[in-house]
Amino acid sequence: MTAVLFDFSGTLFRVESTESWLRGVVADAEVPFTEAEFTVTAQALEAVGALPGGGDPARVPEELADAWLIRDQSAALHRAAYTGLSRQVTLPDPAWHDALYDRHMTPAAWTPYPDAVEVLRTLRERGVPVGVVSNIGWDLRPVFREHGLDRYVDAYVLSYEHGIQKPDPRLFATACEALGADPRRTLMVGDDRRADGGAAALGCEVHFVDHLPVTDRPDGLRPVLDLVS
């Protein structure tokens, strides 16, 4: 393998917990909100899968079903899908639904996995080009910049910027082209077997990591270094 593509959420970074996500909005609000109300609301938001990058919803409402399937193909669809999920939960202020969505796009909402910097830095030292291929509805580049990882990424291929989403091989092909890499000598690293596994159709080797909390996966990315020349 002479080039590496990485997924974003659950692979290089993990989003904050639903409790932290909600508290980040509540802290800036002037609406009275007791701790008991906070706990119930956080549990309800988690149950409906309202946090992008968190767990998938157990059930997608019928009125959101079509948008949900293609949510990563545009910024508007992504926002509509996730705020639609959160609106299943009654919040003290309806404006919080958009505020929560906005919160998840901030660098503060994301934490790199403990070995992400080490692995990316080592790949750069070896001269191995790196791309990030993500199903997403917003620009994640500021997250990488804020956490000091942008210097190690040669190309970003984001679904909403191309109107296609993984597992469509075209997204991986675009990334390989941006890196000047042969797909047959490119490794795709991700946590979603269906979405990230789409790279195999292009001839890429695929390596999966577990989508776990940051504290539970201290060195899940290090095996990548053994797979790359």
Side-chain angles (χ1 to χ4, degrees):
M1 299 296 107
T2 56
V4 184
L5 306 177
F6 288 96
D7 174 52
F8 167 56
S9 175
T11 300
L12 289 175
F13 283 82
R14 170 82 179 203
V15 74
E16 64 187 336
S17 68
T18 304
E19 292 81 4
S20 174
W21 177 54
L22 178 59
R23 201 173 292 283
V25 169
V26 171
D28 296 329
E30 297 180 357
V31 179
F33 202 51
T34 68
E35 194 63 26
E37 290 171 326
F38 173 88
T39 299
V40 170
T41 302
Q43 291 173 345
L45 288 168
E46 180 147 356
V48 300
L51 172 59
D56 288 334
R59 185 187 71 84
V60 176
E62 185 176 348
E63 65 272 17
L64 294 176
D66 291 341
W68 181 257
L69 291 174
I70 56 172
R71 65 191 179 279
D72 297 313
Q73 292 184 17
S74 78
L77 283 168
H78 196 268
R79 179 182 285 272
Y82 281 102
T83 57
L85 291 177
S86 73
R87 286 190 173 93
Q88 295 179 88
V89 179
T90 300
L91 299 179
D93 182 348
W96 285 12
H97 296 291
D98 279 306
L100 284 167
Y101 185 85
D102 292 340
R103 161 77 189 182
H104 104 275
M105 296 187 289
T106 64
W110 296 89
T111 301
Y113 279 93
D115 55 346
V117 173
E118 173 196 341
V119 169
L120 292 176
R121 183 178 61 240
T122 301
L123 291 173
R124 174 53 55 91
E125 290 171 350
R126 294 181 182 178
V128 177
V130 166
V132 171
V133 185
S134 178
N135 277 353
I136 199 164
W138 50 277
D139 187 4
L140 52 71
R141 294 173 183 86
V143 174
F144 279 77
R145 287 196 294 268
E146 181 69 21
H147 291 281
L149 273 66
D150 180 66
R151 71 190 74 178
Y152 306 120
V153 178
D154 299 288
Y156 296 91
V157 178
L158 312 181
S159 61
Y160 84 102
E161 293 182 337
H162 296 272
I164 51 176
Q165 60 190 51
K166 299 181 291 187
D168 192 319
R170 290 178 295 171
L171 210 61
F172 304 105
T174 298
C176 289
E177 183 178 352
L179 297 178
D182 181 345
R184 294 167 299 179
R185 301 190 68 193
T186 298
L187 176 68
M188 174 66 206
V189 183
D191 67 296
D192 188 318
R193 278 163 171 72
R194 177 180 178 276
D196 299 314
L202 200 65
C204 299
E205 183 173 335
V206 184
H207 175 74
F208 295 108
V209 295
D210 295 322
H211 189 156
L212 295 171
V214 167
T215 53
D216 295 345
R217 211 194 77 194
D219 55 5
L221 292 168
R222 288 201 181 104
V224 170
L225 298 178
D226 296 327
L227 299 171
V228 180
S229 59

